[in-house]
Amino acid sequence: MRGLAFVVAAVALASSFAAGRGDAAVAQSVETLVRAELKTTRAAAPARSARPQYNRARSAMAVLEDAVVGRMNQVRRSHGLRPLRLNRRLRSAALFHSRDMGRRGYFEHDSISGTPFWRRIERFYPSRGFRSWTVGENLLWASDRYDAAFAVREWMESPPHRENILSREWREVGIGAAFFANASGEYRGRAVTIMTADFGARR
């Protein structure tokens, strides 16, 4: 089946001092329509099994997140770049944003309240105490199931996303993926998987 997938990329370069002054982040964005395979879900089970179903879904998303990091590092190595280290703080920032977008029905780097994306990341991945602090972000959502190869391929085919994946600037990354059976707002009631990749470097 055909499905929708949208990708958006942004990069922000700011020292801890610039972030403290509230200087604007630099951002780029792009959207593309692609094919994907339909994600199927089982019929709803009795209420007592709701938690195990959620745990299985979360486990599947965790596997996807790890696979995306591995796939990105394969791509980086093939371009002579060092691999990115998985950072739990960046992952928390990414997962928070994926869940927030799905629950509130929007798809943007900045929060629905208007908070710049780098400010949101900074709450999880602090700039304080570092001489320089740099973050970037890739977003992807699809109405259908996708794997790590699909996610990284779509990002690599878009210049801003490719720039983030192949940047020599980044040292660390966190991936947050969330599945919603019936996402409202921009997703129009579709079953969607939303993924955020947050990149960072602190020195």
Side-chain angles (χ1 to χ4, degrees), residues 136-149:
E137 183 169 85
N138 282 1
L139 302 180
L140 171 68
W141 77 262
S143 61
D144 301 337
R145 176 178 55 190
Y146 57 87
D147 58 14

Side-chain angles (χ1 to χ4, degrees), residues 93-113:
L95 186 56
F96 173 87
H97 194 51
S98 291
R99 288 175 172 172
D100 193 56
M101 288 189 291
R103 289 169 179 162
R104 303 173 78 174
Y106 71 102
F107 185 66
E108 300 287 345
H109 290 287
D110 295 345
S111 300
I112 199 167
S113 63

